[in-house]
Amino acid sequence: MWLEHSMFHTNWAFESKFYEEISECGSKLVAAFDKERIEVANRLGCNVLSEADYLSQTYQYQAECMSVYEALRKSPHTSMWTTDSFHRGLLEEDLSYFYVVMESLAKILGIKVPITSAIIDILVVFTGVDYREIGLTLADLGMEGLTTKEQIVKYINDGPNPKN
């Protein structure tokens, strides 16, 4: 997947197939992160699909109980040629605008997200970019100072200046 691929290739002109590069091990990392993502979403009262279910629904796969590995390998994007710069762009966007925010929300909610934190930490070493420093923060979202699930949900549902 983009995570594995982007971490180990240095030639920015290198071309690869989008999901064809995913390994069983890489898909296990995606599935472990996905469990953390779902736990954070559920704690906030959101029902979200797993990555495998999302891919199955989006691409109308017929098989039930498909693994992340199987779902990614069946994706119509598997044969799409992409460059390292494309993968690095996805990586930077996901880390800066999602992983870092999710990690911050999890901390407020008292949820441990060791896989998410490890992914961020490892990619900081690989890329030399501190995504926690440059990424979107809760303060950027107007959520600085929110300390409970109830405050977060109210802010998300009502906005910063709710009309009562």
Side-chain angles (χ1 to χ4, degrees):
M1 178 161 188
W2 58 266
L3 183 63
E4 292 179 306
H5 181 77
S6 294
M7 290 191 304
F8 298 111
H9 291 287
T10 57
N11 180 357
W12 285 67
F14 183 84
E15 288 191 353
S16 64
K17 294 207 175 173
F18 193 56
Y19 289 139
E20 191 169 277
E21 306 290 328
I22 186 97
S23 66
E24 288 265 4
C25 288
S27 70
K28 288 177 184 176
L29 182 62
V30 172
F33 164 76
D34 201 38
K35 285 182 183 175
E36 293 179 355
R37 177 187 65 84
I38 290 168
E39 184 177 359
V40 171
N42 287 342
R43 185 75 59 89
L44 291 170
C46 300
N47 294 319
V48 296
L49 294 173
S50 70
E51 179 77 8
D53 289 344
Y54 170 78
L55 291 167
S56 293
Q57 181 177 314
T58 300
Y59 299 116
Q60 301 176 354
Y61 300 148
Q62 299 304 312
E64 294 291 323
C65 301
M66 187 177 294
S67 71
V68 171
Y69 178 74
E70 293 167 322
L72 288 170
R73 296 292 293 191
K74 286 183 79 166
S75 166
H77 298 102
T78 300
S79 61
M80 182 176 102
W81 284 95
T82 60
T83 63
D84 258 12
S85 61
F86 174 80
H87 287 275
R88 288 176 191 267
L90 286 178
L91 180 70
E92 288 182 12
E93 182 178 301
D94 286 355
L95 286 165
S96 297
Y97 297 106
F98 182 68
Y99 284 59
V100 170
V101 173
M102 189 184 98
E103 182 185 50
S104 298
L105 286 172
K107 184 175 181 180
I108 291 171
L109 299 170
I111 300 170
K112 293 184 187 226
V113 289
I115 302 301
T116 303
S117 295
I119 289 170
I120 297 167
D121 291 341
I122 290 167
L123 288 165
V124 165
V125 172
F126 282 167
T127 64
V129 176
D130 186 345
Y131 294 100
R132 289 181 184 97
E133 182 69 30
I134 68 160
L136 193 64
T137 66
L138 295 181
D140 295 331
L141 296 171
M143 299 172 72
E144 187 172 43
L146 302 183
T147 59
T148 66
K149 168 194 166 185
E150 292 73 23
Q151 289 174 329
I152 293 168
V153 171
K154 183 168 178 42
Y155 180 84
I156 291 169
N157 287 332
D158 300 339
N161 299 309
K163 296 178 181 162
N164 295 329

